Amino acid sequence: MDDLLGKISIITGGAMGIGKEIALRLARDGSDIVIVDIEGELTGKVLNEIQLTGRKSLFYEVDVTRWDRVKAMVHEVLKSFNKVDILVNNAGIVGPVAPVWEYRVEDWDRVMEINMKGTFLCCKAVIPSMLKQKNGRIVNIASISGKEGNPRMGAYSSSKAAVIAFTKALAKEVAQQNIMVNCIAPALIETRMLEIMGKEQREFLLSKIPMGRFGTPAEVSALVKFLVSDECSFSTGQCYDLSGGRAVY
Ligand code: NAP
């Protein structure tokens, strides 16, 4: 498939895990790719893999919580490519797994900053150019925890609930400009994040998935691919479940 040919996509947190898979999938489908991440080391390999698909790729080492850096990155991308068609807000952290009364305030702030504020800042920087071209697709990677509230993950769950609400609010602001804004709520997906959260929490959350298995980054990227394509033309402000049956609403 090359139905994204000529599109320019920015993927945050694209150095590894789900973001890397999304970057490679959109490249295989024809899009040029801009990876934004604080992880510089691994990104070279991803950029090479993208170039093997025949697409252009750029990398910006940016912390998505820094407005000055996000703004400068989008400015540079517009200078290089003249437009941004697709933004995938994927950068995120799980934070510590702990009950609310033991949760450190600075950990709470960091989880909120990256997961929520980072999503806001990247949208804020990219949308003016999308409004000009009256076209755009934005996908925010939320989480099933934002719908259900996972115990011992209060900050993470709250940040992802905020991403879902933000998606709905923003979608309405740009609905008449052919800019679709949607989000995805995955349950456990096989990435480094599962190791970070620890065995006990991982097994507890796995027990809640009727399919009895983790999802894969490829399954996330398949859904992202549809949501960023021109075929997604009458759905906006939605939260798409990707949870092996955990949430049926
Ligand atoms: P991952 O493997 O940890 O990858 C996340 C990437 O984002 C890393 O490269 C990380 O860089 C980068 N990043 C972190 N903070 C950043 C910042 N401030 N600015 C720019 N980049 C930053 O995680 P993943 O599992 O692929 O998760 C991707 C997204 O899916 C996240 O939003 C996550 O909440 C969501 N999600 C994941 C799961 C799951 O089970 N895996 C389930 C539901 C939702 P560093 O390595 O330097 O930190």
Side-chain angles (χ1 to χ4, degrees):
M1 287 270 277
D2 57 2
D3 54 330
L4 299 182
L5 212 56
K7 304 274 188 196
I8 310 298
S9 304
I10 297 179
I11 323 289
T12 71
M16 64 174 82
I18 294 171
K20 173 185 168 185
E21 193 63 34
I22 292 169
L24 290 171
R25 172 68 201 253
L26 301 193
R28 282 197 298 273
D29 287 328
S31 179
D32 293 325
I33 303 291
V34 177
I35 289 185
V36 173
D37 207 294
I38 41 173
E39 162 58 63
E41 245 170 67
L42 286 171
T43 312
K45 213 172 143 263
V46 187
L47 296 182
N48 287 341
E49 284 184 56
I50 291 170
Q51 277 153 17
L52 286 177
T53 68
R55 308 273 55 93
K56 292 192 195 112
S57 60
L58 287 180
F59 168 57
Y60 291 94
E61 196 167 332
V62 171
D63 179 339
V64 294
T65 67
R66 294 270 312 275
W67 174 233
D68 55 337
R69 300 283 294 120
V70 169
K71 203 163 61 164
M73 175 274 292
V74 172
H75 182 76
E76 288 298 314
V77 172
L78 289 172
K79 257 198 342 207
S80 302
F81 292 112
N82 239 339
K83 61 172 188 162
V84 176
D85 302 292
I86 292 164
L87 168 65
V88 183
N89 284 301
N90 164 81
I93 59 168
V94 68
V97 174
V100 168
W101 56 95
E102 287 172 12
Y103 213 91
R104 293 177 349 149
V105 175
E106 51 272 39
D107 289 330
W108 175 279
D109 288 343
R110 189 69 185 146
V111 171
M112 285 295 178
E113 285 251 308
I114 296 175
N115 296 358
M116 176 66 260
K117 188 177 168 193
T119 299
F120 157 65
L121 292 181
C122 292
C123 289
K124 178 175 165 61
V126 162
I127 284 175
S129 68
M130 289 183 171
L131 285 172
K132 251 187 227 158
Q133 66 181 26
K134 289 198 182 332
N135 189 278
R137 297 287 183 275
I138 296 175
V139 177
N140 299 322
I141 307 298
S143 162
I144 194 72
S145 66
K147 289 168 75 175
E148 299 231 310
N150 285 339
R152 297 175 294 282
M153 294 170 76
Y156 185 73
S157 302
S158 306
S159 70
K160 295 300 189 176
V163 168
I164 294 170
F166 174 72
T167 301
K168 293 172 190 285
L170 173 60
K172 290 175 185 129
E173 292 177 19
V174 295
Q176 300 211 343
Q177 317 295 325
N178 193 27
I179 301 172
M180 312 294 148
V181 188
N182 290 293
C183 66
I184 293 180
L188 295 181
I189 305 296
E190 273 169 2
T191 70
R192 176 190 68 159
M193 199 173 264
L194 299 194
E195 285 152 42
I196 293 173
M197 76 175 57
K199 189 165 182 268
E200 198 184 322
Q201 185 75 355
R202 193 167 58 235
E203 286 182 357
F204 164 68
L205 294 176
L206 179 60
S207 72
K208 298 196 161 300
I209 301 177
M211 283 190 189
R213 67 166 176 88
F214 304 128
T216 66
E219 287 172 316
V220 182
S221 65
L223 181 51
V224 171
K225 160 62 203 301
F226 166 69
L227 293 174
V228 303
S229 72
D230 290 340
E231 280 188 297
C232 176
S233 54
F234 201 50
S235 295
T236 195
Q238 299 305 305
C239 179
Y240 288 83
D241 193 79
L242 198 88
S243 70
R246 174 169 169 188
V248 287
Y249 56 93

